[in-house]
Amino acid sequence: MILAVALSLALQVAPSPQAESLFGPPEPVQAYTDDEPRCVRDGSTLELNVCVLEDLRAEEARMQRYFDVAMTRASEGDAESGQFGGERTQQTAWLQASQTAWVAYVESRCAGVFDQWKDGTIRTIVSFGCRIEATRQRTHDIWEDHLTYWDSTPPLLPEPVRTVWEEAQGEASSAAPAARHDTTG
C-alpha cells in the first residue's frame, strides 16, 4: 500500500481502472493531462514507472480471474465431497488461506526489495518488478494446483506462460494485416 501511494504521488497519475490492486483499494481514476507521464517502454524513468504499474495491474487482474475460477471449482468440490461417507473437503478455505498468506509474503518480500533500492530512481521498477514476478508465479501455481486435471482433461483456463503484456503484443501482431510480397520479380 505504501508503494502504491508513493508511486501515485511520484507520478501524479491514477492507477489503471482495469483492475483493483490486491495490495489496496483503487484510487479514483483521473484523466491524463499533457504534463503527466504515460507508459513509454523505452522512455524516461517516470514513463517506465507508469508501464510497470500498468503491467502489475494487468497481472493482478489475470491472477484474480484464475483465483475466481479456482474458488468456483473448489466450492463445487466441497459441495460434492463426503457423498460416500468420507469427510467433506475444505478446499475453498484452504485456497483462501493460501491467498491471504501469499499477499502477506509478497508485501514483506517486495518491501525488502524496495528498501534495498530506496535511494535510487530504479526503486519503483525493481519493487514493482518483484510484485509482477511474484504475481505471475502465483497465477501459475493457482493454475497448476487448482485448474488442471491429472488425466487428459483440458485445464479450465490456459497455462499462464507469457506476461499479459506479451500476450497483448502477440494478439496485436497477429491482428495486423500480413505484409504482401511481390513475387512477380
Side-chain angles (χ1 to χ4, degrees):
M1 185 67 158
I2 294 171
L3 291 175
V5 172
L7 181 63
S8 291
L9 291 174
L11 298 176
Q12 297 182 1
V13 296
S16 168
Q18 297 169 345
E20 178 177 327
S21 172
L22 295 175
F23 306 104
E27 296 174 13
V29 176
Q30 302 169 4
Y32 283 107
T33 62
D34 290 338
D35 60 339
E36 291 177 332
R38 295 181 185 189
C39 174
V40 178
R41 298 230 174 242
D42 60 351
S44 69
T45 301
L46 287 178
E47 292 165 332
L48 290 171
N49 286 346
V50 174
C51 295
V52 295
L53 179 60
E54 289 177 1
D55 291 349
L56 176 60
R57 300 252 190 252
E59 293 297 341
E60 287 176 341
R62 175 169 54 183
M63 182 179 62
Q64 188 62 51
R65 187 173 76 246
Y66 278 60
F67 181 77
D68 291 346
V69 173
M71 285 295 284
T72 298
R73 182 178 181 199
S75 178
E76 290 168 355
D78 287 349
E80 294 171 3
S81 67
Q83 292 179 354
F84 302 106
E87 197 172 323
R88 296 185 64 91
T89 63
Q90 299 178 348
Q91 289 302 299
T92 54
W94 288 113
L95 183 55
Q96 185 61 56
S98 70
Q99 189 70 5
T100 300
W102 176 83
V103 169
Y105 163 74
V106 171
E107 282 288 329
S108 296
R109 176 181 172 216
C110 296
V113 170
F114 181 85
D115 187 63
Q116 180 180 3
W117 297 97
K118 68 183 171 188
D119 292 333
T121 58
I122 193 89
R123 66 186 173 269
T124 302
I125 293 170
V126 173
S127 63
F128 275 34
C130 173
R131 291 173 184 273
I132 289 167
E133 288 306 311
T135 302
R136 290 187 66 222
Q137 182 60 54
R138 177 64 178 154
T139 302
H140 196 274
D141 291 346
I142 291 168
W143 175 83
E144 187 172 34
D145 295 343
H146 302 282
L147 302 179
T148 60
Y149 297 89
W150 286 38
D151 61 12
S152 60
T153 303
L156 297 176
L157 290 173
E159 183 176 8
V161 176
R162 299 185 316 167
T163 66
V164 173
W165 184 80
E166 289 168 338
E167 289 173 357
Q169 295 305 302
E171 291 172 11
S173 65
S174 65
R180 295 186 179 182
H181 300 288
D182 185 2
T183 57
T184 60

